[in-house]
Amino acid sequence: MPTLILVRHGRSTANTSGLLAGWTPGVALDERGAEQAAALPRRLEQLPLAEVVASPLQRCQETIRPLLEARPGLPVHTDERIGECHYGDWSGRKLAELKDEPLMEVVQAHPSAAAFPGGESMRAMQTRAAEAVREWNARVERDHGADAVYLMCSHGDIIKSLVADALGLHLDLFQRISVEPCSITAIRYTRLRPFLVRLGDTGDFASLVPREEPPGEEATVGGGAGAP
């Protein structure tokens, strides 16, 4: 079965503003995010990509644009099932405000029980994304062969949930996974099991440098802004 390259969108204006974007319209890449997207064609130049599938949200569409410009004719598709989690009433709110919401503790420690007010549950998010991947695996294999490589551009929580699915981890453990903006995660699927062969690869180690204010113990809902 195919190898899936998962790319999280580049750093967005919501990431740097500390907002939980969700499906809020008009969330674009910031200057650094645009630079990250521009570097993507070079980072992926050795891969014979068969197809590209992207979330419909602006920040993902902007992330893949340089790649598509560098590879004219590369088939591209949009799939809402790999769009960001529907955070409902939380969308567009400051993460600093949300940390005191009782639901945030559930999101951190027991996400399989978390459902966002006016939005969807994290279980539903993972299910739709995993179903999309399985359908695209079958389609890509049918059209391009079992050794094909294809790319999906999606969001932090979606990618983390797909990694958990590939590793056979319960969704309650997915907050232990980190994927930075424009990082590359690769999963090779086989008939019996998937293999995680890359996780959150950004090509540098800046995010590992000790900071004056160390990151907290909680995972950033939506994925965070990455290295300073």
Side-chain angles (χ1 to χ4, degrees), residues 111-122:
S112 65
F116 296 97
E120 70 179 333
S121 69
M122 301 199 92

Side-chain angles (χ1 to χ4, degrees), residues 155-194:
H155 307 265
D157 281 350
I158 295 287
I159 294 173
K160 287 162 57 178
S161 75
L162 290 171
V163 170
D165 176 77
L167 292 175
L169 291 177
H170 196 282
L171 184 61
D172 285 346
L173 300 178
F174 100 128
Q175 298 289 27
R176 302 182 183 192
I177 299 165
S178 175
V179 288
E180 293 197 359
C182 225
S183 62
I184 295 172
T185 295
I187 302 171
R188 181 166 56 86
Y189 288 87
T190 73
R191 186 175 64 87
L192 296 181
R193 63 181 65 85

